[in-house]
Amino acid sequence: MIKPRIGIRPTIDGRWGGVRESLEEKTMAMAKSAAELISGSLRYPDGTPVECVISPTTIGGGAEAAICEDFFASQNVVATLTVTPCWCYGSETFDMNPRTIKAVWGFNGTERPGAVYLAAVMSAYAQKGLPAFSIYGQDVQDLNDNSVPADVQEKILNFAKCAAAVGWMRNKSYVNMGAVSMGIAGSYCNESFFQKYLGIRAEWVDLTEILRRIKLEIYDPAEYEKALAWIKANCKEGYDKNAGKTLPEIITKSKVVPPDEDWAFIAKMTVIIKDILFGNPKLNQLGWHEEALGKNAVAGGFQGQRHWTDWLPNADFTEAIMASTFDWTGPKEPVAFATENDTLNGVSMLFGKLVSDTAPCFHDVRTYWSPQAVERVSGKKLEGAAAGGFIHLVNSGASALDGTGAAKDAAGSGCMKPWWDMTPADIKACLEATEWSRADYGYFRGGGFSSNYKNVAEMPVTLLRVNMVDGIGPTLQIAQGHTVLLDDKTHDALDQRTDPTWPTTWFVPELTGEGAFKDVYGLMAVWGANHGVTVYGHVGDRLLTLASMLRIPVALHNVPAGQVFRPHAWAAFGTECAEAADYRACETYGALYK
């Protein structure tokens, strides 16, 4: 597979006889600097460097633009970065391919008018209906200075990271395991949204396929044994909520897999679901050629409740370990795999993973705890970051184990890491911070285990959610904030009121004093659904850029204005209210693959 690449287009003043010749070296130096910056700084989700290709010629006019386009067509170029230190002929040199995402870096120097070309070509792109990102350094550089200023680097990397994410999703599949869970609207897969906005194919797999593969032993037995042994060695069992209870017959007779066989069933189920999503050449060796292919997935979700969990072990372990940066094979790429097959939260997991390189943590956006309510229930007066209250992020049994915050950065602080940076010590710490509690048989008659943890570190995180709104289409919500720590007594007093077998994160958004971010309650009051996703770090700026590429308007965010990077044409839709301009621009341009 050719990975999605960034094509670098060095444009130049086309006048031969001294002008063009004098600019060749500088123009190509800019192209090479940009390519080196991108490949040396960014990685694909599989951990390999983002790849760039440079036009075989500088581009002084339409003929050379065509040569460049023919070359890029063979290289799976998803986005182009045009670079120039000088004046060029705008409509003759610009990228007119409607399928590529576009940016232009105009060199800020006084010797040649690179900035003039940048302004001219942005005007051309706007007139042609081809949104493009404008990149221009704040400080004037000398013509012989081939360095890339820090502010230019930031925009180039933001653009390239998000463009690579668009390309990574394209022509892959979202795999619906099962159907709709408990009437949750997000579980209704909108295949038109996946196709037109993301370039993703929607596929469905009935949950009976898992049972077929278990019965016919359509899985790699060696991997199953390895997974089960790893689970028994590393996944410690915790609190059993069912112990000592007299359960009604409707529950006891529904537990068809004996409790002591739950882990074996879950290990097989997890191995099989991985195979369904991504394929497995070992199955080909076993004679299962069709099954070996997989579904070319980039994300998926598991219905679970209730047609599965009313009689079979839940998929909480599967969902948690798929989304984590490790499993029995060691460090591995996390998978956006949604609880209750909430497809919109699955997309949110995918967006978050692609821009942050960290595990996406699935949550119920469960409860706003005011300072007054916390003090009434626990006797604790909140202070510090939690003084204004917080939101209880929890999930009905599953969330990536990285969400514990047990991994350590270079300074020894709790964090979440890209999978390629996870050490054996990090993996061990995340496992030790997690208990696997017996599923509550009242909710999950078929049993299973839930990932039970509380976040053990205060970390910067970004909460996000994609929503579908009739009359608008998809929208995105973004809230940068931090996890907060509660002492054990306060945590227990609050956590016991929900379900103490589930993973808990206490979250506080960064407040701006305005709109949804006037206070913590304000965010909770306008959150668009019962689910959301957190990823590590403050990556709202990249989410904003990605959303603009996909033409998804952002309904709310608390990203500082100076960090917002959208196509230049967005300013033509208004500059006083950027939120309204974003809605109008997305409506005007329409879905990326419409």
Side-chain angles (χ1 to χ4, degrees), residues 178-194:
V180 177
S181 175
M182 301 184 297
I184 295 172
S187 294
Y188 288 83
C189 179
N190 186 323
E191 70 274 14
S192 179
F193 161 63
F194 278 97

Side-chain angles (χ1 to χ4, degrees), residues 52 75 96 123 135 267 302 314 408 461 470 502 552 555 578:
C52 297
Q75 299 296 311
M96 62 182 291
S123 173
I135 300 174
F302 188 85
N314 63 27
K408 301 294 184 183
V461 295
D470 185 41
W502 295 347
I552 298 174

Side-chain angles (χ1 to χ4, degrees), residues 247-574:
L247 300 170
E249 183 184 8
I250 194 173
I251 290 177
T252 56
K253 72 180 182 181
S254 297
K255 182 82 175 82
V256 298
V257 176
D260 62 349
E261 296 179 18
D262 274 355
W263 277 124
F265 185 95
I266 290 166
K268 287 181 184 176
M269 175 171 63
T270 306
V271 167
I272 286 168
I273 288 175
K274 283 181 62 180
D275 289 349
I276 290 172
L277 266 63
F278 304 112
N280 186 343
K282 293 290 182 67
L283 301 184
N284 204 42
Q285 299 171 18
L286 297 172
W288 300 101
H289 308 301
E290 181 181 357
E291 290 83 353
L293 294 172
K295 297 293 185 182
N296 192 37
V298 71
F302 188 85
Q303 174 195 338
Q305 300 186 67
R306 290 182 43 203
H307 299 152
W308 182 270
T309 57
D310 271 8
W311 71 298
L312 293 168
N314 63 27
D316 288 0
F317 172 83
T318 307
E319 294 159 10
I321 211 67
M322 291 276 276
S324 299
T325 56
F326 57 87
D327 63 10
W328 53 89
T329 64
K332 56 88 177 173
E333 179 185 340
V335 178
F337 195 67
T339 299
E340 295 159 350
N341 192 32
D342 182 343
T343 64
L344 296 178
N345 225 46
V347 171
S348 305
M349 296 175 80
L350 181 58
F351 285 1
K353 163 195 162 176
L354 291 175
V355 302
S356 73
D357 294 323
T358 62
C361 298
F362 188 113
H363 306 284
D364 282 1
V365 183
R366 177 69 61 137
T367 310
Y368 164 65
W369 278 99
S370 68
Q372 296 79 9
V374 172
E375 188 169 5
R376 176 179 62 81
V377 169
S378 69
K380 173 73 172 182
K381 185 175 178 62
L382 295 178
E383 300 174 341
F390 44 78
I391 295 173
H392 188 184
L393 300 178
V394 69
N395 185 17
S396 51
S399 196
L401 273 58
D402 302 69
T404 60
K408 301 294 184 183
D409 62 18
S413 300
C415 68
M416 294 168 62
K417 296 180 177 180
W419 68 267
W420 51 80
D421 288 335
M422 289 292 284
T423 66
D426 292 327
I427 294 171
K428 181 179 180 181
C430 289
L431 288 165
E432 289 182 346
T434 306
E435 291 185 342
W436 295 92
S437 299
R438 285 271 175 191
D440 183 344
Y441 290 162
Y443 287 106
F444 304 111
R445 297 174 187 173
F449 294 91
S450 296
S451 56
N452 178 18
Y453 64 73
K454 66 174 181 177
N455 59 287
V456 297
E458 294 192 339
M459 306 181 292
V461 295
T462 301
L463 176 68
L464 67 145
R465 167 73 187 191
V466 174
N467 297 298
M468 292 293 294
V469 181
D470 185 41
I472 298 175
T475 64
L476 178 63
Q477 294 180 312
I478 301 168
Q480 297 185 151
H482 290 79
T483 61
V484 294
L485 297 179
L486 302 181
D487 61 85
D488 289 343
K489 179 182 176 182
T490 306
H491 169 86
D492 290 342
L494 276 52
D495 198 47
Q496 292 286 336
R497 294 170 68 98
T498 304
D499 191 311
T501 69
W502 295 347
T504 279
T505 299
W506 307 106
F507 172 75
V508 175
E510 290 198 331
L511 301 178
T512 64
E514 298 178 349
F517 296 95
K518 184 177 181 180
D519 52 33
V520 181
Y521 175 80
L523 176 63
M524 182 74 181
V526 298
W527 197 250
N530 56 311
H531 291 152
V533 173
T534 56
V535 291
Y536 186 72
H538 289 166
V539 294
D541 56 340
R542 287 190 171 176
L543 288 167
L544 285 165
T545 298
L546 176 62
S548 69
M549 291 177 174
L550 300 169
R551 318 289 193 259
I552 298 174
V554 177
L556 65 87
H557 71 85
N558 57 348
V559 178
Q563 296 177 19
V564 176
F565 188 41
R566 288 177 168 132
H568 186 267
W570 261 236
F573 293 87

